[in-house]
């Protein structure tokens, strides 16, 4: 059962806590163009764009989610090779130290990371 009325009652349509959103920033790296879309203490969402034929490391110290918006390619370094394409969601676990992504087409995805996942937990 969908609880649409209850969900709508929980949504804040104004600015959070009455503050303005941070301006979006785009960073152009050697391989990718990254636009920071959302930053909060629980997660970050970036839009990443890579041109066809490029290759990049997918190593991370925290779980990372890629939601593929366009394009595609493959992740390799382990067996078997993992293809990905528009419309798919990938969960990249931490510890993929030697894995690489190769992009067969101009590719754009949303990348979600969880900053607290890489911080040590206190007992």
């Amino acid at each position: 059962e969908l609880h649409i009325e209850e969900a709508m009652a929980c949504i804040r349509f104004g600015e959070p806590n009455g503050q303005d959103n941070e301006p979006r920033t785009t960073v152009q790296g050697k391989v990718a163009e990254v636009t920071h879309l959302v930053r909060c203490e629980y997660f970050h969402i970036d839009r990443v764009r890579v041109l066809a034929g490029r290759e990049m490391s997918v190593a991370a110290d925290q779980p990372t989610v890629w939601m593929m918006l366009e394009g595609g390619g493959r992740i390799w370094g382990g067996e078997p090779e993992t293809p990905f394409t528009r419309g798919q969601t990938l969960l990249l676990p931490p510890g993929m130290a030697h894995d690489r992504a190769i992009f067969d087409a101009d590719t754009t995805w949303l990348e979600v990371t969880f900053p607290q996942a890489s911080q040590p937990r206190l007992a």
Side-chain angles (χ1 to χ4, degrees):
E1 181 178 346
L2 295 177
H3 301 279
I4 295 172
E5 289 180 23
E6 291 86 347
M8 294 299 289
C10 295
I11 297 174
R12 282 191 253 157
F13 290 100
E15 299 297 331
N17 301 323
Q19 300 172 359
D20 292 333
N21 287 328
E22 292 181 25
R24 293 183 178 162
T25 57
T26 299
V27 178
Q28 181 67 50
K30 292 180 181 178
V31 176
E33 176 184 274
V34 179
T35 302
H36 304 301
L37 300 176
V38 176
R39 291 279 185 266
C40 73
E41 66 180 296
Y42 303 107
F43 60 88
H44 296 171
I45 301 176
D46 297 323
R47 182 178 56 235
V48 183
R49 185 165 195 279
V50 175
L51 298 177
R54 298 294 191 133
E55 181 178 325
M56 64 182 265
S57 171
V58 293
D61 64 346
Q62 60 180 296
T64 302
V65 177
W66 285 4
M67 292 179 272
M68 307 310 298
L69 302 177
E70 65 180 355
R74 58 200 181 281
I75 295 175
W76 61 275
E79 293 296 329
E81 185 175 88
T82 304
F84 56 86
T85 190
R86 176 180 172 216
Q88 293 182 314
T89 299
L90 292 85
L91 172 60
L92 307 175
M96 295 177 67
H98 303 291
D99 292 76
R100 312 274 307 156
I102 296 179
F103 300 92
D104 299 327
D106 291 355
T107 303
T108 304
W109 68 93
L110 296 179
E111 181 171 289
V112 182
T113 55
F114 310 92
Q116 73 278 9
S118 61
Q119 298 174 359
R121 305 230 182 241
L122 300 175

